[in-house]
Amino acid sequence: MPQDLNDNICEASAFERVYTKYANDLHNFLYYKYGSQFNPQDKAQDAFIKLWDNCKKVTFAKAKSFLFTVANNMMLNEIKHQKVVLNHHKTKPKHYTNETPEFILEQDEYLEKYNKVLASLNEDQRVAFLLSKVEGKKHSEIAEFLGVTQKVVEYRIYSAFNILKKELENFKIK
C-alpha cells in the first residue's frame, strides 16, 4: 500500500522508512560538505530526532527537505560556535591585579601568622576547628566523626577560635 505523501510521519513504520531511505545520504552530505571534525553522524541523528519531535508538522514528501535543512543548520551553528571558542582562546588573560605590592605582602604575612597559630593549637582543637570552618561540617557531624559529644566539639571549636582571635588582629570568620 503506497504511503500518502500528505500524511505526517508519526507512525513508526513511516518514520522507519524515512530513516532507512535518507540516513546514509544525510550523513554523506554532511561528511562531504563539512568533514568529520564536526561529527556528521551525530548531527544526522540529531536531525532525525528533530524530525520525530516535529512529525505532525512534516509530511512524507517534505521529510527529506526538512532533514537536510535542519542538519545543515546544525552544522553551521556548530561552526559558528567553534569560531567563538577560537576567538575566546585567542584573547589573553590579564596577568596583573589591582592589589598593591604592600597589600599582597601583608596578605602573605597574615597567612603565615595564621598558619603558625593554627599549628600551635592542640590537635583536638585544630581538627574540630578545621572540620567546622574549612570543610563546613555541622557540629553534630563532627561529634559523630570524632566519637565525642556535640558539647565537646563546640568547646574545642570556640576555644580554638578564641586563641586565633587573641593571637591575630582583626580575625573574623563568617
Side-chain angles (χ1 to χ4, degrees), residues 3-159:
Q3 175 74 27
D4 185 8
L5 297 180
N6 293 326
D7 287 348
N8 63 38
I9 53 171
C10 288
E11 291 181 26
S13 61
F15 188 81
E16 185 178 351
R17 258 191 301 188
V18 170
Y19 183 82
T20 55
K21 187 172 184 180
Y22 298 123
N24 279 337
D25 292 342
L26 182 60
H27 171 266
N28 292 340
F29 167 75
L30 296 174
Y31 181 80
Y32 294 134
K33 187 167 181 180
Y34 299 106
S36 64
Q37 67 186 14
F38 298 113
N39 297 324
Q41 184 66 38
D42 290 347
K43 297 298 185 270
Q45 292 299 319
D46 291 343
F48 277 102
I49 291 171
K50 283 218 187 247
L51 177 64
W52 181 254
D53 291 341
N54 295 299
C55 68
K56 290 187 179 182
K57 300 174 189 170
V58 180
T59 63
F60 194 81
K62 305 278 184 183
K64 180 178 181 182
S65 173
F66 180 87
L67 283 169
F68 279 74
T69 302
V70 166
N72 192 45
N73 288 341
M74 285 181 180
M75 282 297 217
L76 293 173
N77 288 341
E78 180 70 21
I79 290 169
K80 273 188 204 174
H81 175 70
Q82 291 302 324
K83 285 181 182 177
V84 169
V85 169
L86 184 63
N87 286 335
H88 179 71
H89 284 300
K90 284 182 181 178
T91 59
K92 296 188 181 207
K94 64 179 186 173
H95 294 291
Y96 60 89
T97 62
N98 292 332
E99 288 89 19
T100 63
E102 293 84 15
F103 176 80
I104 294 172
L105 185 63
E106 288 174 10
Q107 187 179 18
D108 292 343
E109 288 174 357
Y110 191 83
L111 183 60
E112 189 176 317
K113 285 181 193 175
Y114 171 76
N115 285 330
K116 282 183 183 175
V117 174
L118 202 57
S120 71
L121 296 174
N122 70 42
E123 185 179 351
D124 294 335
Q125 291 172 324
R126 185 173 51 253
V127 168
F129 181 79
L130 291 175
L131 284 172
S132 174
K133 301 305 178 190
V134 174
E135 294 191 18
K137 296 204 180 286
K138 296 179 182 173
H139 293 181
S140 58
E141 293 174 327
I142 298 170
E144 185 179 321
F145 179 72
L146 297 176
V148 294
T149 65
Q150 189 171 334
K151 287 290 182 187
V152 171
V153 169
E154 290 171 0
Y155 174 76
R156 290 177 182 175
I157 292 170
Y158 293 123
S159 62

